Amino acid sequence: MDGSSIEQEEDSTFTNVPLADDIDQYPRPKSLLPKMMNADMDDLSARVDAVKEENLKLKSENQVLGQYIENLMSASSVFQTTDTKSKRK
């Protein structure tokens, strides 16, 4: 009979699989999904804010550079408009 009890113990190791009631102790993917989505949304929101800030900075720099270029062009005789009608007279 000792042999049959050993066989029963060996068989029980393969049949002791968690049942549906035991699975409740583990988090389900559906319950994790909102948490993951919130984390992803937070990351995306932070990235959007960073990009907006960088965009505003670049726009400001472009305005400064544009004004600088306009000032250089107006100060240079190369970019001055020539009045051809007054020279012909």
Side-chain angles (χ1 to χ4, degrees), residues 18-63:
L19 300 175
D21 295 337
D22 296 335
I23 292 176
D24 288 336
Q25 69 183 349
Y26 303 107
R28 294 183 180 183
K30 288 182 184 178
S31 67
L32 291 175
L33 188 60
K35 291 178 186 176
M36 290 176 8
M37 286 176 54
N38 284 340
D40 288 344
M41 290 300 291
D42 291 342
D43 291 343
L44 285 174
S45 179
R47 177 71 178 132
V48 166
D49 290 341
V51 168
K52 282 182 180 180
E53 186 177 320
E54 184 180 359
N55 186 358
L56 289 173
K57 178 184 168 191
L58 291 173
K59 280 184 179 182
S60 175
E61 289 177 4
N62 282 344
Q63 286 178 342

Side-chain angles (χ1 to χ4, degrees), residues 60-76 79:
S60 175
E61 289 177 4
N62 282 344
Q63 286 178 342
V64 169
L65 290 173
Q67 187 64 43
Y68 178 73
I69 290 169
E70 283 181 27
N71 291 340
L72 285 176
M73 289 173 59
S74 65
S76 173
F79 296 105

